[in-house]
Amino acid sequence: VISNWDERLDRVLRDLGVRHHFEFIVTSAEVGWEKPGRKIFRCAKERAGLGEERLLREDLVHVGDSFSKDVCGAAEAGWRAVWLADGPEPHGAHMTEAFELLR
């Protein structure tokens, strides 16, 4: 899990009964960086034991509900992204830039 949250996230996931599905949690409060910044994704990659290995884009996938933070952030960090859209799709110049990043 990569989240712009704080230390309460672990407890929330436990209370929801889903914590055991995740090997680790990286929160912005813990590492000092927020999505869409590349550093939080790099930290997650290291936490997964992948360090500086050269991986294909297909090897790293981030799922999130924020187009600007999750999809664009993952793409900027070299990850594939799955967007769980909760509303209208973004549009305009930012949308064009985002799709360029995803190529």
Side-chain angles (χ1 to χ4, degrees), residues 5-7 25-33 43 47:
W5 246 57
D6 57 36
E7 66 280 350
I25 297 171
V26 176
T27 65
S28 56
E30 171 192 358
V31 299
W33 305 297
C43 184
R47 188 83 49 91

Side-chain angles (χ1 to χ4, degrees), residues 1 3-4 9-10 14 20 25-26 33-36 40 43 47 52 55 59 63 69 74 79 81 83 89 94 103:
V1 173
S3 180
N4 288 349
L9 182 58
D10 185 76
R14 286 183 195 286
H20 66 280
I25 297 171
V26 176
W33 305 297
E34 290 187 346
K35 299 176 292 177
I40 194 167
C43 184
R47 188 83 49 91
E52 293 301 316
L55 298 172
D59 295 328
V63 178
K69 293 178 182 174
W79 295 41
W83 182 34
E89 293 187 26
H94 295 294
R103 289 187 181 171

Side-chain angles (χ1 to χ4, degrees), residues 15-56:
D15 290 349
L16 291 171
V18 297
R19 175 61 179 94
H20 66 280
H21 291 292
F22 307 104
E23 290 183 35
F24 60 88
I25 297 171
V26 176
T27 65
S28 56
E30 171 192 358
V31 299
W33 305 297
E34 290 187 346
K35 299 176 292 177
R38 291 181 183 190
K39 290 182 180 181
I40 194 167
F41 289 94
R42 186 178 329 129
C43 184
K45 185 178 165 190
E46 291 170 3
R47 188 83 49 91
L50 302 174
E52 293 301 316
E53 289 182 40
R54 288 296 214 194
L55 298 172
L56 298 175

